[in-house]
Amino acid sequence: MTHLDARRSDLVPLYDQLAASYDVLHQRWLRCAGGEAQSALEAAVRAVLRPGDRLLDVGCGTGGFARRLLREGFAAQNVALVDPSVEMLHLCDDIPCYKANGRLDALPFETAEFDVVTCAWVIETVPDPTVAIAELCRMTRDGGTLCIAFCAEKPCRGVWDWCLKRSLIWRGTGRFMRVGDIEGYIGDYGDFSVQEVPLSGPASMIVARRKMATPATG
């Protein structure tokens, strides 16, 4: 394990410390690089979400997306939030939905509980993204949708992109993932159709639709 991998293996204490200032830091990231991917993820969720669907937001942070959905009329009882940081979850106390403290590589839910699963800016922080992707796929029902936004390994558009990449890597808070790798990890699960949303910048968003199970014959 490299030094960076060792730091990445337990980032929860760091995010506990960052919780109070996380929204300010995250908004800077969205303005500089990740805003297009975040907007694409939220648009995809709104496009597929139906009344009565169950939504799971993995790595919910301070719950900003959930608040926006609830303000738009989505039922709180159909939303579940999970984050490994207790301090982040404390900042979601005002959101009247189910909340769980849990890690992405061992989500505290039964298999195929949710119609829509979202995961934004988390995959790049976990020690083993293959396990994390498998857990996200496990959560998604037949015919359901998985949406993932992440820091993507793409050519830098200029000095600013390069600085963002260096900063993330040397802080040890994440890494830039290859889109093909993420698509491959989902494909390894076996029953998803996967599509990357065309975006610019060092961020990407993938929509994966779980196929309906084929009825048994005979």
Side-chain angles (χ1 to χ4, degrees):
M1 178 183 290
T2 68
H3 178 53
L4 289 178
D5 286 335
R7 283 189 290 168
R8 189 182 297 122
S9 66
D10 189 11
L11 293 175
V12 176
L14 174 60
Y15 281 97
D16 280 339
Q17 294 173 15
L18 290 174
S21 58
Y22 177 79
D23 281 345
V24 172
L25 297 172
H26 189 55
Q27 286 303 314
R28 289 176 185 170
W29 160 252
L30 294 180
R31 284 196 301 271
C32 295
E36 191 178 7
Q38 181 71 36
S39 295
L41 181 144
E42 295 191 15
V45 169
R46 290 181 174 96
V48 300
L49 202 58
R50 300 162 298 180
D53 279 355
R54 294 198 68 202
L55 169 74
L56 173 64
D57 187 1
V58 179
C60 63
T62 60
F65 185 33
R67 288 189 188 86
R68 288 190 285 277
L69 287 176
L70 267 56
R71 284 198 297 267
E72 294 164 15
F74 192 70
Q77 65 266 27
N78 292 333
V79 177
L81 305 179
V82 61
D83 202 280
S85 167
V86 172
E87 295 303 321
M88 289 286 195
L89 284 177
H90 283 334
L91 296 174
C92 299
D93 283 346
D94 62 302
I95 306 174
C97 67
Y98 181 83
K99 295 176 279 288
N101 178 229
R103 293 178 179 269
L104 183 51
D105 55 4
L107 292 170
F109 302 100
E110 297 296 326
T111 296
E113 275 201 42
F114 298 94
D115 302 283
V116 180
V117 178
T118 70
C119 183
W121 321 115
V122 184
I123 290 295
E124 58 271 52
T125 70
V126 299
D128 189 344
T130 62
V131 175
I133 292 290
E135 278 291 274
L136 293 171
C137 292
R138 184 177 71 83
M139 294 294 100
T140 310
R141 288 175 175 163
D142 290 350
T145 303
L146 167 62
C147 299
I148 307 174
F150 57 97
C151 300
E153 185 59 65
K154 293 183 176 182
C156 294
R157 297 168 298 177
V159 174
W160 183 242
D161 279 6
W162 184 88
C163 290
L164 283 171
K165 284 189 173 185
R166 292 298 96 190
S167 173
L168 182 70
I169 292 169
W170 289 110
R171 283 201 312 268
T173 55
R175 59 201 181 279
F176 286 80
M177 308 290 299
R178 288 192 292 267
V179 173
D181 288 345
I182 301 295
E183 293 174 331
Y185 301 151
I186 298 173
D188 289 343
Y189 202 82
D191 55 358
F192 282 81
S193 59
V194 185
Q195 180 180 2
E196 180 194 5
V197 177
L199 301 171
S200 59
S204 190
M205 203 281 278
I206 283 176
V207 177
R209 183 81 170 178
R210 189 166 192 176
K211 301 172 184 177
M212 296 296 295
T214 303
T217 58

